Amino acid sequence: MRLAIVGLGRMGANMARRLLRHGHEVVVHNRSPEPVAELAAEGAIAADELSDVVRLLEAPRVVWLMLPSGAITEEAIGSVAGLLAPGDLIVDGANSNYRDSIRRGTTLSASGIGFCDAGVSGGIWGLENGYCVMVGGSPEHYEMIRPAAEALSEPGGSLHVGPLGAGHFTKMVHNGIEYGMLQAFGEGFELLHAASEFEIDLHAVAELWRHGSVVQSWLLDLLEIALRDDRRLESLSGWVDDSGEGRWTVQDAVERGVPATVLAHALFARFTSRTDNAFAMKVIAALRKGFGGHAVRPTEDL
């Protein structure tokens, strides 16, 4: 199929590459021209302006946005919708708030334009390993993008999870769980780090647990890599940012009366990281850099 990817950051550019590798035709657009030129050299169809994106697609058009959530995505949806026709479809692949996605989809439907909210996980490893794609919207609209969603993911890694908002709601909960898993690894390895009398080799333990342990996981693989390069994570500060989904998960749990105690603790621990330099938070910073390319602060920035 032919579709457009608008927004060629860490995720969007590699998603376009994966689609190209699976035989899809991809129109690409970005605010800065360099990523567009790079992908055009790899076989993508360059679009200098949003109007070019629409012109280079055939009805029914599919425009998949991979932009920062919030005002930037809101503005882009409005701009793209003004260029589309009834029957066309916008996909928001950002980590948007699911309530915004419900509102946006409802508004667009009045103009006959479809909308899907697609939570996408996989970070900077998705190009080679495949992404996990969680899509909300009508079944008909999901069918329009199913070939692309399946190309982006490994077998079994894409799913129509429900109506408008369900995709971003599922991704929000996914990221909340991620907060808890990161915190557990961080606290566990801080305890190992604190037991100085044993002189435990943290990298060796991370490698050990990757083989037959009940905590073996992709996150543990990434921690082994981080500790291999920096045995005590001395190059990192313990500052860990939160990108929004963890807050939304905890807020939603409060509103629904769901006891999400681990997720709440993991969120508040990130706030604590901005006032101290705990080893647990260094572990989390290293893992976030490992799976998502998130920015970290070197020790000298403290």
Side-chain angles (χ1 to χ4, degrees), residues 111-126:
S111 302
I113 298 172
F115 182 80
C116 286
D117 51 293
V120 183
S121 182
I124 58 178
W125 297 78

Side-chain angles (χ1 to χ4, degrees), residues 2 11 35 59 65 90-91 99 105 124 137 143 153 155 160 162 232 234 263 268 270 272 278 298:
R2 178 178 287 200
M11 294 280 283
L65 305 178
I90 296 174
V91 182
R99 292 182 174 89
I124 58 178
E143 284 302 311
S153 60
H160 176 230
R232 294 284 171 173
E234 293 173 343
L263 310 189
F268 293 134
R270 294 199 178 188
T272 303

Side-chain angles (χ1 to χ4, degrees), residues 57-250:
L57 295 172
E58 298 178 356
R61 304 170 185 85
V62 175
V63 180
W64 193 310
L65 305 178
M66 289 301 300
L67 299 166
S69 62
I72 293 175
T73 290
E74 185 82 23
E75 179 182 353
I77 289 174
S79 298
V80 171
L83 299 168
L84 297 179
D88 293 340
L89 177 66
I90 296 174
V91 182
D92 176 16
N95 284 326
S96 295
N97 190 296
Y98 74 93
R99 292 182 174 89
D100 289 334
S101 299
I102 295 171
R103 171 180 56 80
R104 290 163 179 162
T106 302
T107 300
L108 289 169
S109 67
S111 302
I113 298 172
F115 182 80
C116 286
D117 51 293
V120 183
S121 182
I124 58 178
W125 297 78
L127 174 61
E128 301 299 333
N129 298 340
Y131 299 90
C132 180
V133 185
M134 304 151 255
V135 183
S138 73
E140 296 77 15
H141 290 146
Y142 176 70
E143 284 302 311
M144 290 176 64
I145 65 168
R146 184 167 58 84
E150 291 179 350
L152 287 169
S153 60
E154 63 178 23
S158 62
L159 182 67
H160 176 230
V161 294
L164 282 174
H168 283 151
F169 182 82
T170 304
K171 180 57 160 52
M172 178 191 77
V173 175
H174 167 282
N175 284 21
I177 293 170
E178 174 193 301
Y179 273 48
M181 293 174 68
L182 293 175
Q183 190 66 29
F185 275 116
E187 292 180 4
F189 273 82
E190 179 160 26
L191 185 55
L192 292 171
H193 179 265
S196 57
E197 70 272 24
F198 295 125
E199 299 182 350
I200 295 172
D201 184 332
L202 301 185
H203 172 257
V205 171
E207 173 62 20
L208 170 70
W209 285 353
R210 293 176 61 233
H211 303 280
S213 163
V214 296
V215 299
Q216 62 184 335
S217 62
W218 181 35
L219 289 177
L220 188 58
D221 294 343
L222 294 173
L223 183 54
E224 183 274 325
I225 293 170
L227 289 169
R228 182 197 311 164
D229 297 335
D230 185 356
R231 295 297 176 114
R232 294 284 171 173
L233 302 180
E234 293 173 343
S235 64
L236 298 179
S237 78
W239 176 286
V240 180
D241 202 0
D242 68 290
S243 52
E245 303 87 77
R247 297 189 189 205
W248 299 340
T249 305
V250 173

